[in-house]
Coordinates of all heavy atoms in Angstrom, one line a residue:
M291 N 30.4 40.9 -33.3 CA 30.6 42.3 -33.7 C 31.9 42.4 -34.5 O 33.0 41.8 -34.0 CB 30.7 43.1 -32.4 CG 31.1 44.5 -32.7 SD 31.1 45.6 -31.2 CE 32.5 45.2 -30.4
A292 N 31.9 43.0 -35.6 CA 33.1 43.1 -36.5 C 33.9 44.3 -36.0 O 33.4 45.3 -35.4 CB 32.6 43.4 -37.9
T293 N 35.2 44.1 -36.1 CA 36.2 45.2 -35.7 C 37.2 45.5 -36.8 O 37.2 44.8 -37.8 CB 37.0 44.7 -34.4 OG1 37.9 43.7 -34.8 CG2 36.1 44.2 -33.3
S294 N 37.9 46.5 -36.6 CA 38.9 46.9 -37.6 C 40.1 45.9 -37.7 O 40.9 46.0 -38.6 CB 39.5 48.3 -37.2 OG 38.5 49.3 -37.2
F295 N 40.2 45.0 -36.7 CA 41.3 44.1 -36.6 C 40.9 42.7 -37.0 O 41.8 41.8 -36.8 CB 41.9 44.1 -35.2 CG 42.3 45.5 -34.8 CD1 41.5 46.2 -33.8 CD2 43.4 46.1 -35.3 CE1 41.9 47.5 -33.4 CE2 43.7 47.4 -35.0 CZ 43.0 48.1 -34.0
D296 N 39.7 42.4 -37.5 CA 39.3 41.1 -37.8 C 40.2 40.4 -38.9 O 40.4 39.2 -38.9 CB 37.9 41.1 -38.3 CG 36.9 41.3 -37.2 OD1 37.3 41.2 -36.0 OD2 35.7 41.6 -37.5
F297 N 40.8 41.2 -39.8 CA 41.7 40.7 -40.8 C 42.9 40.0 -40.2 O 43.6 39.1 -40.9 CB 42.1 41.7 -41.8 CG 43.1 42.8 -41.2 CD1 44.4 42.6 -41.5 CD2 42.6 43.8 -40.5 CE1 45.4 43.5 -41.0 CE2 43.5 44.8 -40.0 CZ 44.9 44.6 -40.2
L298 N 43.3 40.3 -39.0 CA 44.4 39.7 -38.3 C 44.1 38.3 -37.7 O 45.0 37.5 -37.4 CB 45.0 40.6 -37.2 CG 45.5 42.0 -37.7 CD1 45.7 42.9 -36.5 CD2 46.8 41.8 -38.4
K299 N 42.9 38.1 -37.3 CA 42.5 37.0 -36.5 C 43.0 35.6 -36.9 O 43.5 34.9 -36.1 CB 41.0 37.0 -36.3 CG 40.5 36.1 -35.2 CD 39.0 36.3 -34.9 CE 38.6 35.6 -33.6 NZ 37.3 35.9 -33.3
A300 N 42.8 35.3 -38.2 CA 43.2 34.0 -38.7 C 44.7 33.7 -38.7 O 45.1 32.6 -38.2 CB 42.6 33.8 -40.1
E301 N 45.4 34.6 -39.2 CA 46.9 34.4 -39.4 C 47.7 34.9 -38.2 O 48.8 34.4 -38.0 CB 47.4 35.0 -40.7 CG 46.9 34.3 -41.9 CD 47.5 34.8 -43.2 OE1 48.7 34.6 -43.3 OE2 46.8 35.5 -44.0
F302 N 47.2 35.9 -37.5 CA 48.0 36.5 -36.5 C 47.2 36.7 -35.2 O 46.9 37.8 -34.8 CB 48.5 37.9 -36.9 CG 49.3 37.8 -38.2 CD1 48.7 38.2 -39.4 CD2 50.6 37.3 -38.3 CE1 49.4 38.2 -40.6 CE2 51.3 37.3 -39.4 CZ 50.7 37.7 -40.6
P303 N 46.8 35.6 -34.6 CA 45.8 35.7 -33.4 C 46.4 36.5 -32.3 O 45.7 37.2 -31.6 CB 45.6 34.3 -33.1 CG 46.6 33.5 -33.7 CD 47.1 34.2 -34.9
E304 N 47.7 36.4 -32.0 CA 48.3 37.1 -30.9 C 48.3 38.6 -31.2 O 47.9 39.4 -30.3 CB 49.8 36.7 -30.7 CG 50.5 37.4 -29.6 CD 52.0 37.0 -29.5 OE1 52.3 35.9 -29.9 OE2 52.7 37.8 -29.0
V305 N 48.6 39.0 -32.4 CA 48.5 40.5 -32.7 C 47.1 40.9 -32.7 O 46.8 42.0 -32.2 CB 49.1 40.7 -34.1 CG1 49.0 42.2 -34.6 CG2 50.6 40.3 -34.2
H306 N 46.1 40.1 -33.2 CA 44.7 40.5 -33.1 C 44.3 40.7 -31.7 O 43.6 41.7 -31.4 CB 43.9 39.3 -33.8 CG 42.4 39.5 -33.6 ND1 41.7 38.9 -32.6 CD2 41.6 40.3 -34.3 CE1 40.4 39.3 -32.7 NE2 40.3 40.1 -33.8
T307 N 44.6 39.8 -30.8 CA 44.2 40.0 -29.4 C 44.7 41.2 -28.8 O 44.0 42.0 -28.1 CB 44.6 38.7 -28.6 OG1 44.0 37.6 -29.2 CG2 44.2 38.9 -27.2
S308 N 46.0 41.5 -29.0 CA 46.6 42.7 -28.4 C 46.0 44.0 -29.0 O 45.7 44.9 -28.3 CB 48.1 42.7 -28.7 OG 48.7 41.6 -28.0
A309 N 45.8 44.0 -30.3 CA 45.2 45.2 -31.0 C 43.8 45.4 -30.5 O 43.4 46.6 -30.2 CB 45.3 45.0 -32.5
L310 N 43.0 44.4 -30.4 CA 41.7 44.5 -29.9 C 41.6 45.0 -28.4 O 40.9 45.9 -28.1 CB 41.0 43.1 -30.0 CG 39.5 43.1 -29.9 CD1 38.9 44.0 -31.0 CD2 38.9 41.7 -30.1
R311 N 42.5 44.5 -27.6 CA 42.6 45.0 -26.2 C 43.0 46.4 -26.2 O 42.5 47.2 -25.3 CB 43.6 44.1 -25.4 CG 43.0 42.8 -25.1 CD 44.0 41.9 -24.3 NE 43.4 40.7 -23.9 CZ 44.1 39.7 -23.3 NH1 45.4 39.9 -22.9 NH2 43.5 38.6 -22.9
A312 N 43.9 46.8 -27.0 CA 44.3 48.2 -27.1 C 43.1 49.1 -27.5 O 42.9 50.2 -26.9 CB 45.5 48.4 -28.1
A313 N 42.4 48.7 -28.5 CA 41.2 49.5 -28.9 C 40.1 49.6 -27.8 O 39.6 50.6 -27.6 CB 40.6 48.9 -30.2
V314 N 39.9 48.5 -27.2 CA 38.8 48.4 -26.1 C 39.2 49.4 -25.0 O 38.4 50.0 -24.4 CB 38.6 47.0 -25.7 CG1 37.7 47.0 -24.4 CG2 37.9 46.2 -26.8
A315 N 40.5 49.4 -24.6 CA 40.9 50.2 -23.5 C 41.2 51.6 -23.8 O 41.5 52.4 -22.9 CB 42.2 49.5 -22.9
A316 N 41.2 52.0 -25.1 CA 41.6 53.3 -25.5 C 41.0 54.5 -24.8 O 41.6 55.4 -24.4 CB 41.4 53.5 -27.0
L317 N 39.7 54.4 -24.6 CA 39.0 55.5 -23.9 C 39.0 55.4 -22.3 O 39.0 56.4 -21.6 CB 37.6 55.7 -24.4 CG 37.5 56.1 -25.8 CD1 36.0 56.2 -26.3 CD2 38.1 57.4 -26.1
G318 N 38.9 54.2 -21.9 CA 38.8 53.9 -20.5 C 40.1 53.9 -19.7 O 40.2 54.3 -18.5
D319 N 41.2 53.4 -20.3 CA 42.5 53.3 -19.6 C 43.6 53.4 -20.7 O 44.1 52.4 -21.2 CB 42.6 52.0 -18.9 CG 43.7 52.0 -17.9 OD1 44.7 52.7 -18.1 OD2 43.7 51.1 -17.0
A320 N 44.0 54.7 -20.9 CA 45.0 54.9 -22.0 C 46.4 54.2 -21.7 O 47.0 53.7 -22.7 CB 45.3 56.4 -22.1
R321 N 46.7 54.0 -20.5 CA 48.0 53.3 -20.2 C 47.9 51.8 -20.6 O 48.9 51.3 -21.2 CB 48.3 53.4 -18.7 CG 49.7 52.8 -18.3 CD 50.0 53.0 -16.9 NE 50.1 54.4 -16.6 CZ 50.3 54.9 -15.4 NH1 50.5 54.1 -14.4 NH2 50.4 56.2 -15.2
I322 N 46.8 51.2 -20.3 CA 46.6 49.8 -20.7 C 46.6 49.7 -22.3 O 47.1 48.8 -22.9 CB 45.3 49.2 -20.1 CG1 45.5 49.1 -18.6 CG2 45.0 47.9 -20.7 CD1 46.6 48.2 -18.1
S323 N 45.9 50.7 -22.9 CA 45.8 50.7 -24.3 C 47.2 50.8 -25.0 O 47.5 50.1 -25.9 CB 44.9 51.9 -24.8 OG 44.8 52.0 -26.2
C324 N 48.0 51.7 -24.4 CA 49.4 51.9 -24.9 C 50.2 50.6 -24.8 O 51.0 50.2 -25.7 CB 50.1 53.0 -24.2 SG 49.5 54.6 -24.7
F325 N 50.0 49.9 -23.6 CA 50.7 48.7 -23.4 C 50.4 47.6 -24.5 O 51.2 47.0 -25.1 CB 50.4 48.1 -22.0 CG 50.9 46.7 -21.8 CD1 52.2 46.5 -21.4 CD2 50.0 45.6 -22.0 CE1 52.7 45.2 -21.2 CE2 50.5 44.3 -21.8 CZ 51.8 44.1 -21.4
Y326 N 49.1 47.4 -24.7 CA 48.7 46.4 -25.7 C 49.0 46.9 -27.1 O 49.3 46.0 -28.0 CB 47.2 46.1 -25.5 CG 46.9 45.2 -24.4 CD1 46.3 45.6 -23.3 CD2 47.5 43.9 -24.4 CE1 46.1 44.7 -22.2 CE2 47.3 43.0 -23.3 CZ 46.6 43.4 -22.2 OH 46.4 42.6 -21.2
A327 N 49.0 48.1 -27.4 CA 49.4 48.6 -28.7 C 50.8 48.3 -29.0 O 51.2 47.8 -30.1 CB 49.1 50.1 -28.9
R328 N 51.7 48.5 -28.0 CA 53.1 48.2 -28.1 C 53.3 46.7 -28.3 O 54.1 46.2 -29.1 CB 53.9 48.6 -26.9 CG 55.4 48.3 -27.1 CD 56.2 48.5 -25.9 NE 57.5 48.0 -26.0 CZ 58.6 48.6 -26.4 NH1 58.5 49.9 -26.6 NH2 59.8 48.0 -26.4
V329 N 52.6 45.9 -27.6 CA 52.6 44.4 -27.7 C 52.3 44.0 -29.1 O 52.9 43.2 -29.8 CB 51.8 43.7 -26.7 CG1 51.7 42.2 -27.0 CG2 52.3 43.9 -25.3
A330 N 51.2 44.6 -29.7 CA 50.8 44.3 -31.1 C 51.9 44.7 -32.1 O 52.2 43.9 -33.0 CB 49.5 45.0 -31.4
V331 N 52.5 45.9 -31.9 CA 53.5 46.3 -32.8 C 54.8 45.4 -32.7 O 55.3 45.0 -33.7 CB 53.9 47.8 -32.5 CG1 55.2 48.2 -33.3 CG2 52.8 48.7 -32.9
E332 N 55.2 45.2 -31.4 CA 56.4 44.3 -31.2 C 56.2 42.9 -31.8 O 57.1 42.4 -32.5 CB 56.7 44.2 -29.7 CG 58.0 43.7 -29.4 CD 58.4 44.0 -28.0 OE1 57.5 44.3 -27.1 OE2 59.6 43.8 -27.7
S333 N 55.0 42.3 -31.6 CA 54.8 41.0 -32.2 C 54.8 41.0 -33.7 O 55.4 40.1 -34.3 CB 53.4 40.5 -31.7 OG 53.3 40.3 -30.4
S334 N 54.3 42.1 -34.3 CA 54.3 42.2 -35.7 C 55.7 42.4 -36.3 O 56.0 41.7 -37.3 CB 53.4 43.4 -36.2 OG 52.1 43.3 -35.7
V335 N 56.4 43.2 -35.7 CA 57.8 43.5 -36.2 C 58.7 42.3 -36.0 O 59.4 41.9 -36.9 CB 58.4 44.7 -35.5 CG1 59.9 44.9 -35.8 CG2 57.6 46.0 -35.8
K336 N 58.6 41.6 -34.9 CA 59.4 40.4 -34.7 C 59.0 39.3 -35.7 O 59.8 38.6 -36.2 CB 59.2 39.9 -33.2 CG 60.0 40.7 -32.2 CD 59.9 40.2 -30.8 CE 60.8 41.0 -29.9 NZ 60.9 40.5 -28.6
W337 N 57.7 39.2 -36.0 CA 57.2 38.3 -37.0 C 57.9 38.5 -38.3 O 58.4 37.6 -39.0 CB 55.7 38.3 -37.1 CG 55.2 37.3 -38.1 CD1 54.8 36.0 -37.8 CD2 55.1 37.4 -39.5 NE1 54.4 35.4 -39.0 CE2 54.6 36.2 -40.0 CE3 55.4 38.5 -40.4 CZ2 54.4 36.0 -41.4 CZ3 55.2 38.3 -41.8 CH2 54.7 37.1 -42.2
A338 N 58.0 39.8 -38.7 CA 58.6 40.2 -40.0 C 60.0 39.8 -40.0 O 60.5 39.2 -41.0 CB 58.5 41.7 -40.2
F339 N 60.8 40.0 -38.9 CA 62.2 39.6 -38.9 C 62.4 38.0 -38.9 O 63.3 37.5 -39.5 CB 62.9 40.2 -37.7 CG 63.4 41.5 -37.9 CD1 62.6 42.6 -37.7 CD2 64.7 41.8 -38.4 CE1 63.0 43.9 -37.9 CE2 65.1 43.1 -38.7 CZ 64.3 44.1 -38.4
E340 N 61.4 37.3 -38.3 CA 61.5 35.9 -38.3 C 61.2 35.2 -39.7 O 61.6 34.2 -40.0 CB 60.6 35.3 -37.3 CG 61.1 35.6 -35.9 CD 60.0 35.2 -34.8 OE1 59.0 34.6 -35.1 OE2 60.2 35.5 -33.6
H341 N 60.3 35.9 -40.5 CA 59.8 35.3 -41.7 C 60.3 36.0 -43.0 O 60.1 35.4 -44.1 CB 58.3 35.4 -41.7 CG 57.7 34.4 -40.7 ND1 57.5 34.8 -39.3 CD2 57.4 33.1 -40.7 CE1 57.0 33.8 -38.7 NE2 57.0 32.8 -39.5
D342 N 61.0 37.1 -42.9 CA 61.5 37.7 -44.1 C 63.1 37.6 -44.1 O 63.7 38.3 -43.3 CB 61.1 39.2 -44.2 CG 61.5 39.8 -45.5 OD1 62.4 39.4 -46.2 OD2 60.8 40.8 -45.9
R343 N 63.6 36.8 -45.0 CA 65.0 36.5 -45.0 C 65.8 37.7 -45.5 O 67.1 37.8 -45.3 CB 65.3 35.3 -45.9 CG 64.8 34.0 -45.4 CD 65.1 32.9 -46.4 NE 64.3 31.7 -46.0 CZ 64.8 30.7 -45.4 NH1 66.1 30.6 -45.2 NH2 64.1 29.6 -45.1
S344 N 65.2 38.7 -46.1 CA 65.9 39.9 -46.5 C 66.2 40.8 -45.3 O 67.0 41.8 -45.5 CB 65.2 40.6 -47.6 OG 64.0 41.3 -47.0
L345 N 65.6 40.6 -44.2 CA 65.9 41.4 -43.0 C 67.0 40.8 -42.1 O 66.8 39.8 -41.5 CB 64.6 41.6 -42.2 CG 63.4 42.3 -42.9 CD1 62.2 42.2 -42.0 CD2 63.8 43.7 -43.1
P346 N 68.1 41.5 -42.0 CA 69.2 41.0 -41.2 C 68.9 41.3 -39.7 O 68.2 42.3 -39.4 CB 70.4 41.8 -41.6 CG 69.8 43.1 -42.2 CD 68.5 42.7 -42.7
S347 N 69.3 40.4 -38.8 CA 69.1 40.6 -37.4 C 69.9 41.8 -37.0 O 71.1 41.9 -37.2 CB 69.5 39.4 -36.6 OG 68.7 38.3 -36.9
P348 N 69.3 42.8 -36.3 CA 70.1 43.9 -35.8 C 71.0 43.5 -34.6 O 71.0 42.4 -34.1 CB 69.0 44.9 -35.4 CG 67.9 44.1 -35.1 CD 67.9 42.9 -35.9
Y349 N 71.7 44.5 -34.1 CA 72.7 44.3 -33.0 C 72.0 43.9 -31.7 O 72.6 43.3 -30.9 CB 73.5 45.6 -32.8 CG 72.7 46.8 -32.5 CD1 72.4 47.2 -31.2 CD2 72.1 47.5 -33.6 CE1 71.6 48.3 -30.9 CE2 71.3 48.7 -33.3 CZ 71.1 49.0 -32.0 OH 70.3 50.1 -31.7
E350 N 70.7 44.3 -31.6 CA 69.9 43.9 -30.4 C 68.6 43.4 -30.9 O 68.2 43.7 -32.0 CB 69.8 45.0 -29.4 CG 71.1 45.4 -28.7 CD 70.8 46.5 -27.7 OE1 69.8 46.5 -27.0 OE2 71.7 47.4 -27.5
S351 N 67.8 42.7 -30.0 CA 66.5 42.3 -30.4 C 65.3 43.1 -29.9 O 64.2 42.7 -30.0 CB 66.3 40.8 -30.1 OG 66.4 40.6 -28.7
N352 N 65.6 44.2 -29.3 CA 64.6 45.0 -28.7 C 63.8 45.8 -29.8 O 64.3 45.9 -31.0 CB 65.1 46.0 -27.6 CG 66.0 47.0 -28.2 OD1 65.8 47.6 -29.2 ND2 67.2 47.1 -27.4
L353 N 62.7 46.3 -29.5 CA 61.8 46.9 -30.5 C 62.5 48.1 -31.2 O 62.4 48.2 -32.4 CB 60.5 47.3 -29.9 CG 59.5 48.0 -30.9 CD1 59.1 47.0 -32.1 CD2 58.2 48.3 -30.1
S354 N 63.2 48.9 -30.5 CA 63.8 50.1 -31.0 C 64.9 49.6 -32.1 O 65.0 50.2 -33.2 CB 64.5 50.9 -30.0 OG 65.1 52.0 -30.5
A355 N 65.7 48.7 -31.7 CA 66.7 48.2 -32.7 C 66.1 47.6 -33.9 O 66.6 47.8 -35.0 CB 67.6 47.2 -32.0
L356 N 65.0 46.8 -33.8 CA 64.3 46.3 -34.9 C 63.7 47.3 -35.8 O 63.9 47.3 -37.0 CB 63.2 45.3 -34.4 CG 63.7 44.1 -33.7 CD1 62.5 43.3 -33.1 CD2 64.5 43.1 -34.6
L357 N 63.1 48.3 -35.2 CA 62.5 49.4 -36.0 C 63.5 50.2 -36.8 O 63.3 50.7 -37.9 CB 61.6 50.3 -35.1 CG 60.3 49.8 -34.6 CD1 59.7 50.7 -33.6 CD2 59.4 49.4 -35.7
H358 N 64.7 50.4 -36.1 CA 65.7 51.3 -36.7 C 66.6 50.5 -37.7 O 67.5 51.1 -38.3 CB 66.5 52.0 -35.7 CG 65.7 53.1 -35.0 ND1 64.9 52.9 -34.0 CD2 65.6 54.4 -35.4 CE1 64.3 54.1 -33.7 NE2 64.7 55.0 -34.5
E359 N 66.5 49.2 -37.8 CA 67.3 48.4 -38.8 C 67.0 49.0 -40.2 O 65.9 49.1 -40.6 CB 66.9 47.0 -38.7 CG 67.4 46.1 -39.8 CD 68.9 46.2 -40.0 OE1 69.6 46.1 -39.0 OE2 69.3 46.3 -41.2
P360 N 68.1 49.5 -40.8 CA 67.9 50.1 -42.1 C 67.1 49.3 -43.2 O 66.3 49.8 -43.9 CB 69.3 50.4 -42.6 CG 70.1 50.5 -41.4 CD 69.5 49.5 -40.4
A361 N 67.3 48.0 -43.2 CA 66.6 47.2 -44.1 C 65.1 47.1 -43.8 O 64.2 47.2 -44.7 CB 67.1 45.7 -44.1
F362 N 64.7 47.1 -42.5 CA 63.3 47.2 -42.1 C 62.7 48.5 -42.5 O 61.6 48.6 -43.1 CB 63.2 46.9 -40.6 CG 61.8 47.0 -40.1 CD1 60.9 45.9 -40.3 CD2 61.3 48.1 -39.6 CE1 59.6 45.9 -39.8 CE2 59.9 48.2 -39.1 CZ 59.1 47.1 -39.3
K363 N 63.4 49.6 -42.2 CA 62.9 50.9 -42.5 C 62.7 51.1 -44.0 O 61.7 51.6 -44.5 CB 63.8 52.0 -42.0 CG 63.8 52.2 -40.5 CD 64.8 53.2 -40.0 CE 64.3 54.6 -40.4 NZ 65.2 55.7 -39.8
S364 N 63.6 50.6 -44.8 CA 63.5 50.6 -46.2 C 62.3 49.8 -46.8 O 61.5 50.3 -47.6 CB 64.8 50.2 -46.9 OG 64.7 50.1 -48.3
L365 N 62.2 48.6 -46.2 CA 61.1 47.7 -46.7 C 59.7 48.2 -46.3 O 58.8 48.2 -47.0 CB 61.3 46.3 -46.1 CG 60.3 45.2 -46.5 CD1 60.4 45.0 -48.0 CD2 60.7 44.0 -45.8
M366 N 59.6 48.7 -45.0 CA 58.3 49.1 -44.5 C 57.9 50.6 -44.9 O 56.8 50.9 -44.9 CB 58.2 49.0 -43.0 CG 58.4 47.6 -42.5 SD 57.1 46.5 -43.3 CE 57.9 44.9 -43.0
G367 N 58.9 51.4 -45.2 CA 58.6 52.8 -45.5 C 58.5 53.7 -44.3 O 58.3 53.2 -43.2
D368 N 58.6 55.0 -44.5 CA 58.5 56.0 -43.5 C 57.2 56.0 -42.7 O 57.1 56.2 -41.5 CB 58.8 57.4 -44.0 CG 60.3 57.6 -44.3 OD1 61.1 56.9 -43.7 OD2 60.6 58.5 -45.1
Q369 N 56.1 55.8 -43.5 CA 54.8 55.9 -42.8 C 54.6 54.8 -41.8 O 54.2 55.0 -40.7 CB 53.7 55.8 -43.9 CG 52.3 56.0 -43.3 CD 51.2 56.1 -44.4 OE1 51.5 55.8 -45.5 NE2 50.0 56.4 -44.0
V370 N 55.0 53.6 -42.1 CA 54.9 52.4 -41.2 C 55.9 52.7 -40.0 O 55.5 52.5 -38.9 CB 55.1 51.1 -41.9 CG1 55.2 50.0 -40.9 CG2 54.0 50.8 -42.9
F371 N 57.1 53.1 -40.3 CA 58.1 53.3 -39.3 C 57.6 54.4 -38.3 O 57.6 54.1 -37.1 CB 59.4 53.8 -39.9 CG 60.4 54.2 -38.9 CD1 61.1 53.3 -38.2 CD2 60.6 55.6 -38.7 CE1 62.0 53.7 -37.2 CE2 61.6 56.0 -37.7 CZ 62.3 55.0 -37.0
R372 N 57.1 55.5 -38.8 CA 56.6 56.5 -37.9 C 55.4 56.0 -37.0 O 55.4 56.3 -35.8 CB 56.2 57.8 -38.6 CG 57.3 58.6 -39.2 CD 56.9 59.9 -39.7 NE 55.8 59.9 -40.6 CZ 55.9 59.9 -41.9 NH1 57.1 59.9 -42.5 NH2 54.8 59.8 -42.7
K373 N 54.5 55.3 -37.6 CA 53.4 54.8 -36.8 C 53.8 53.7 -35.8 O 53.3 53.7 -34.6 CB 52.3 54.2 -37.7 CG 51.6 55.2 -38.5 CD 50.5 54.7 -39.4 CE 49.8 55.8 -40.1 NZ 48.8 55.3 -41.0
A374 N 54.8 52.9 -36.1 CA 55.3 51.9 -35.2 C 56.1 52.5 -34.1 O 56.0 52.0 -33.0 CB 56.1 50.8 -36.0
K375 N 56.8 53.5 -34.4 CA 57.7 54.2 -33.4 C 56.8 54.9 -32.4 O 56.9 54.9 -31.3 CB 58.6 55.2 -34.1 CG 59.6 55.7 -33.2 CD 60.6 56.6 -34.0 CE 61.5 57.3 -33.0 NZ 62.2 58.4 -33.6

């Protein structure tokens, strides 16, 4: 069965698994869905900081600090920032 997250599977298997778990749980258990959605976002954002040399490490390594890093916000744009937040 094809899913909206198949494009992630080859290069980002951890993100794919978390996103798929979030989608599967969305109607049955919203709390679990939110948990896995956050894991997917956090994994994605951390990957960006590890692989893009233009992104400086913020003062802390938690998701909020990473999302609010000005270089990340500028690179990803407001739409991605709002969705990730």
Side-chain angles (χ1 to χ4, degrees):
M291 175 172 78
T293 72
S294 300
F295 304 108
D296 287 348
F297 71 98
L298 296 168
K299 194 171 189 173
E301 290 188 67
F302 307 102
E304 180 183 335
V305 176
H306 172 263
T307 300
S308 296
L310 198 55
R311 286 180 175 176
V314 168
L317 296 176
D319 192 337
R321 186 177 295 180
I322 294 296
S323 181
C324 288
F325 171 80
Y326 282 113
R328 181 189 168 98
V329 170
V331 169
E332 195 166 13
S333 296
S334 301
V335 172
K336 285 184 177 185
W337 183 92
F339 275 89
E340 290 170 8
H341 291 89
D342 188 333
R343 294 177 191 255
S344 72
L345 295 173
S347 295
Y349 58 95
E350 291 183 35
S351 61
N352 62 49
L353 182 57
S354 181
L356 295 171
L357 288 174
H358 286 88
E359 166 55 47
F362 178 81
K363 285 178 72 172
S364 175
L365 184 63
M366 297 303 162
D368 284 338
Q369 187 175 7
V370 172
F371 173 76
R372 285 192 311 265
K373 288 180 181 181
K375 188 175 171 194

